[in-house]
């Protein structure tokens, strides 16, 4: 590649990225899932589009898609709160294993008997579309005010179910007879166990190292966190475990470890996650040939209807039988099994393995994802309100930024006061921070000043709090408690309300 070609490639990539960023804004205003806009950009650039770019490398798409999915799972894990997901782990694990098995069986049977596909093709499609998409779930659910239990189950499910689905798709796409079901179950259980063990171990070791070793620049913390998460995936995959589960769990451990410069790390992860989503969706749009989709529209609609109206609800009911959940929550979970880029990426596996009619499988999955994402995503908030599961406006969680002061054996906490925070109207003295910590500076309307005990906090203030090592966690816990429960949180006996 010449320098001129490289310059052209950089120009085209920059323009595509800028258009995609504008698409993010449009999707947030209109409620249209950003997935469709990114895919549309790829289709517009590719064959039959204005760019007329010919791209048919399924293997490269699969590799890049896997890499993007690793980044997306890492970003999702970093934003997952352990307090919300802990009660949901058994339910999510059941959905990811039992639910996937039910969904694959029902969808494959419908594809065989109603659409007329051969059993191998039907099983591949059933497995491919049984995986909920992490990017779609994380992006949609965090904009919808749902109960924490529902959000926790759906987020954990999307992080867990990639592993068994990948194993099933690879098994069904391999030449020769399909393995016995008990062999697949054993293989899935072993890979999940290895991936979970490696992910938790790498996450804990990484968090321990980052909290005890001061890096020379704050900008290195975000890079180190993402590198640790990606290393968990690589270690899990090399150990013949689930790399996807490993990266998600490692990132979740890191995200709940109160690492230094956390706000900057979270922002960096979100930015990298957006780039991964944009690149992955645009590439998938390039891979499709629009004029070849026409014959596969109705099969995709029928299979999608089977999946949405029968397979997903049945999988939710069966897998959640041991757990006491209101029918409203089960109904919402049945509708919130969002599909996105992951099924389309998995649909490249039979193409790479040379399965008969693999292009038809890819086209069916592509159309199915586009149609039902357009239907399910925008209607999810309305369904939540109808079922009485929408929550009212809550106080925003604090994005506390921590910078270690190694020589002074302390920490400098940067604490913003967002809209909706109950820190608004609280006096400095009423914070009742533990001994060894104090509010040393307030930045308000571009002006900084040293507060007194009777200084009243306001929205959009930013506090600088100095805390010694022994009370750092207690000070942060107290600030979060007051932000959520107000200045009387301690006297009301709510968590985090310890006072001097």
């Amino acid at each position: 590649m010449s320098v001129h070609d490289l310059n052209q490639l950089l120009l085209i990539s920059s323009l595509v990225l800028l258009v995609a960023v504008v698409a993010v804004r449009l999707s947030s205003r209109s409620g249209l899932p950003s997935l469709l806009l990114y895919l549309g950009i790829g289709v517009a650039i590719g064959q039959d589009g204005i760019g007329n770019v010919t791209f048919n490398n399924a293997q490269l798409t699969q590799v890049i898609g896997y890499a993007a999915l690793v980044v997306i799972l890492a970003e999702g894990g970093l934003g997952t709160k352990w307090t919300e997901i802990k009660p949901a782990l058994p339910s999510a694990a059941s959905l990811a294993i039992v639910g996937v098995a039910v969904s694959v069986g029902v969808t494959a049977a419908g594809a065989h008997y109603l659409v007329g596909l051969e059993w191998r093709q039907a099983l591949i499609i059933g497995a491919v579309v049984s995986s909920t998409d992490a990017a779609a779930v994380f992006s949609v659910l965090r904009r919808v005010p749902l109960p924490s239990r529902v959000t926790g189950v759906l987020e954990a499910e999307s992080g867990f179910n990639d592993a068994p689905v990948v194993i099933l798709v690879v098994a069904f796409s391999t030449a020769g007879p399909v393995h016995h079901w008990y062999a697949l179950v054993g293989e899935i259980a072993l890979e999940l166990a290895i991936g979970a063990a490696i992910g938790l171990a790498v996450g804990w070791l990484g968090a321990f190292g980052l909290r005890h070793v001061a890096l020379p620049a704050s900008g290195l913390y975000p890079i180190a966190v993402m590198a640790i998460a990606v290393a968990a995936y690589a270690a899990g995959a090399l150990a013949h475990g689930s790399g996807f589960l490993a990266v998600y769990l490692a990132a979740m451990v890191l995200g709940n470890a109160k690492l230094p410069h956390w706000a900057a790390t979270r922002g960096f992860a979100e930015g990298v996650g957006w780039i991964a989503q944009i690149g992955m969706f645009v590439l998938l749009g390039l891979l499709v040939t629009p004029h070849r989709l026409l014959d596969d529209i109705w099969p995709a609609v029928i299979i999608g209807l089977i999946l949405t109206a029968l397979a997903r609800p049945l999988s939710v009911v069966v897998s959640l039988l041991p757990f006491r959940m209101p029918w409203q929550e089960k109904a919402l979970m049945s509708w919130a099994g969002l599909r996105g880029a992951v099924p389309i990426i998995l649909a490249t596996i039979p193409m790479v393995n040379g399965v008969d009619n693999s292009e038809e499988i890819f086209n069916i999955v592509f159309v199915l994802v586009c149609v039902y994402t357009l239907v399910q995503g925008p209607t999810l908030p309305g369904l939540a309100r109808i079922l009485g599961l929408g929550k009212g406006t809550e106080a925003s969680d604090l994005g506390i930024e921590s910078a270690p002061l190694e020589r002074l054996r302390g920490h400098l906490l940067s604490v913003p006061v967002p809209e909706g925070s109950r820190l608004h109207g609280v006096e400095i003295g009423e914070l009742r921070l533990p001994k060894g910590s104090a509010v040393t500076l307030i930045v308000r309307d571009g002006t900084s000043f040293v507060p007194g005990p009777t200084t009243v906090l306001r929205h959009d203030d930013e506090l600088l709090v100095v805390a010694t090592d022994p009370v750092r966690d207690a000070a942060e816990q107290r600030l979060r408690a007051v932000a959520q429960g107000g200045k009387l949180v301690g006297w009301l006996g709510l968590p985090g309300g310890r006072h001097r």
Side-chain angles (χ1 to χ4, degrees):
M1 177 182 291
S2 66
V3 175
H4 179 70
D5 292 336
L6 178 60
N7 292 336
Q8 286 186 324
L9 179 61
L10 290 175
L11 177 60
I12 294 173
S13 301
S14 301
L15 290 175
V16 170
L17 190 57
L18 287 173
V19 172
V21 170
V22 174
V24 175
R25 182 61 175 170
L26 292 175
S27 66
S28 63
R29 283 176 171 265
S30 63
L32 186 69
S34 57
L35 156 67
L36 298 181
L37 295 175
Y38 304 148
L39 287 174
I41 293 172
V43 172
I45 296 174
Q47 300 180 59
D48 299 342
I50 56 176
N52 199 27
V53 175
T54 301
F55 179 79
N56 54 12
N57 193 331
Q59 187 170 10
L60 177 61
T61 303
Q62 180 182 327
V63 171
I64 295 177
Y66 273 35
L69 183 57
V70 169
V71 174
I72 292 168
L73 284 171
E75 189 271 328
L78 291 173
T80 299
K81 297 179 182 178
W82 173 245
T83 54
E84 292 184 1
I85 202 174
K86 181 180 178 181
L89 288 179
S91 307
S94 181
L95 272 174
I97 299 176
V98 179
V100 163
V102 173
S103 181
V104 170
V106 174
T107 306
H112 176 70
Y113 291 110
L114 297 182
V115 179
L117 297 179
E118 296 180 359
W119 269 115
R120 181 180 292 275
Q121 299 169 8
L123 286 169
I124 290 174
I125 289 181
V128 164
V129 299
S130 293
S131 174
T132 55
D133 184 71
V137 170
F138 294 146
S139 63
V140 172
L141 292 185
R142 289 174 185 175
R143 297 198 308 265
V144 180
L146 297 177
S148 58
R149 178 168 64 174
V150 175
T151 302
V153 170
L154 292 172
E155 288 193 1
E157 179 200 9
S158 68
F160 293 168
N161 64 11
D162 290 331
V165 167
V166 169
I167 295 171
L168 290 175
V169 175
V170 171
F172 297 150
S173 301
T174 302
V178 177
H179 296 310
H180 295 295
W181 66 268
Y182 51 83
L184 289 178
V185 171
E187 185 178 351
I188 290 171
L190 179 61
E191 289 202 15
L192 289 176
I194 294 174
I198 290 177
L200 293 173
V202 171
W204 185 86
L205 290 172
F208 179 84
L210 289 176
R211 293 197 68 176
H212 290 82
V213 177
L215 298 178
S218 60
L220 292 175
Y221 283 91
I223 298 174
V225 168
M226 292 301 293
I228 292 170
V230 173
Y233 169 81
L238 289 174
H240 301 288
S242 171
F244 293 125
L245 181 59
V247 66
Y248 180 73
L249 291 179
M252 187 173 66
V253 172
L254 292 167
N256 289 271
K258 298 179 181 178
L259 298 177
H261 303 290
W262 179 243
T265 300
R266 188 77 186 93
F268 175 81
E270 288 180 353
V272 174
W274 274 113
I275 293 176
Q277 288 187 54
I278 292 170
M280 177 173 60
F281 293 145
V282 170
L283 193 61
L284 290 171
L286 278 173
L287 187 62
V288 73
T289 305
H291 72 267
R292 297 180 182 174
L293 297 177
L294 299 177
D295 294 335
D296 299 313
I297 291 178
W298 283 113
V301 172
I302 294 172
I303 295 174
L305 186 61
I306 296 169
L307 172 68
T308 306
L310 184 59
R312 173 66 182 182
L314 187 60
S315 67
V316 170
V317 171
V318 171
S319 58
L320 296 183
L321 276 177
F323 309 98
R324 293 183 178 180
M325 285 188 179
W327 70 267
Q328 293 93 336
E329 294 185 1
K330 292 181 180 179
L332 188 66
M333 290 181 190
S334 298
W335 190 247
L338 303 175
R339 271 74 190 174
V342 172
I344 304 177
I345 293 171
L346 296 179
T348 63
I349 294 177
M351 296 178 70
V352 173
N353 290 354
V355 175
D356 292 339
N357 298 319
S358 57
E359 185 175 348
E360 179 185 4
I361 294 174
F362 181 86
N363 291 341
I364 289 175
V365 173
F366 187 91
V367 174
L368 186 154
V369 168
C370 291
V371 171
Y372 286 92
T373 298
L374 183 60
V375 172
Q376 289 179 279
T379 58
L380 190 58
L383 179 62
R385 288 192 295 270
I386 292 173
L387 294 174
L389 296 177
K391 300 188 296 184
T393 303
E394 293 189 340
S396 303
D397 189 26
L398 290 181
I400 297 180
E401 172 85 10
S402 173
L405 305 174
E406 290 295 317
R407 295 182 62 186
L408 302 180
R409 297 184 59 78
H411 293 266
L412 180 64
L413 308 180
S414 176
V415 186
V417 182
E419 290 291 334
S421 174
R422 300 190 67 177
L423 283 171
H424 177 78
V426 175
E427 295 183 2
I428 293 296
E430 292 173 330
L431 290 174
R432 303 197 312 281
L433 296 175
K435 291 181 178 179
S437 61
V439 179
T440 58
L441 197 69
I442 293 180
V443 180
R444 177 180 296 167
D445 298 328
T447 304
S448 58
F449 62 93
V450 177
T454 59
T455 300
V456 178
L457 300 178
R458 299 178 185 173
H459 290 142
D460 298 324
D461 282 355
E462 184 165 354
L463 319 181
L464 294 183
V465 180
V466 174
T468 58
D469 260 345
V471 301
R472 187 264 190 200
D473 290 344
E476 182 174 339
Q477 182 184 23
R478 175 61 189 170
L479 288 166
R480 293 185 185 277
V482 176
Q484 295 288 333
K487 59 187 176 183
L488 297 180
V489 64
W491 305 113
L492 296 176
L494 299 177
R498 292 179 296 175
H499 55 278
R500 289 182 287 188

